[in-house]
Amino acid sequence: MTDPTDLTRRTILTLGSAGAVGGALALVGCTADAPGSTGSATPSPPPSLVEETPTAPTAAPDAPALGDDIAAVADVPVGGSIDATINGEPALISQPTAGRIVAFSAVCTHQQCVVAAAGDEFHCPCHGSMFDAATGDVIQGPALEPLTPIGVAVSGDRIVAAS
């Protein structure tokens, strides 16, 4: 077994960094002279533990809360679409006109197959339903209902989920 006086300061800091209290205790252990040392310094008092709660930047009162990053605006061609994942679910993103970004659930309203992006349309590979990429409306059945819209926002050059 290792003699406690053989531990280096780095080892104690590494071991003590598991938590705020553990880190504070490790620092306290480093401030006192090791037993058997010839140093004449008196032990300093232990540091006080100050708990701080991190604060999030405050948004403007009317600003929507923004969620997970989805894609770059540049990834979605004007007049086209891409497959994506939003909040862990399959989704479709399109940019019908420059700067207008819309998103829809990629779950077909016919029999819940995953629909794929296909330019200005979305295609269901299971039964041939087609949807308009700008509106999510059915272009060709057997699906009768449009795709479910998903709220997204543009933050800088990124598309993010709207919360």
Side-chain angles (χ1 to χ4, degrees):
M1 180 169 180
T2 305
D3 182 1
T5 59
D6 291 341
L7 295 175
T8 65
R9 182 176 181 189
R10 178 172 288 179
T11 303
I12 290 181
L13 288 174
T14 301
L15 293 173
S17 66
V21 173
L25 290 176
L27 289 174
V28 169
C30 290
T31 60
D33 287 336
S37 70
T38 58
S40 60
T42 59
S44 58
S48 60
L49 179 62
V50 178
E51 291 186 32
E52 293 184 21
T53 304
T55 57
T58 53
D62 296 334
L66 302 178
D68 293 338
D69 183 77
I70 300 166
V73 173
D75 292 343
V76 185
V78 175
S81 58
I82 63 168
D83 299 299
T85 301
I86 300 176
N87 298 324
E89 299 295 324
L92 301 159
I93 311 254
S94 71
Q95 186 171 193
T97 58
R100 181 172 165 245
I101 304 292
V102 294
F104 302 93
S105 168
V107 177
C108 184
T109 57
H110 174 236
Q111 288 191 347
Q112 289 66 55
C113 291
V114 176
V115 178
D120 64 349
E121 297 177 349
F122 302 136
H123 295 171
C124 180
C126 295
H127 301 107
S129 292
M130 296 185 344
F131 302 87
D132 184 292
T135 63
D137 291 338
V138 176
I139 296 172
Q140 171 182 312
L144 300 175
E145 299 295 321
L147 295 174
T148 304
I150 298 173
V152 293
V154 174
S155 178
D157 64 346
R158 303 297 299 173
I159 301 167
V160 295
S163 314

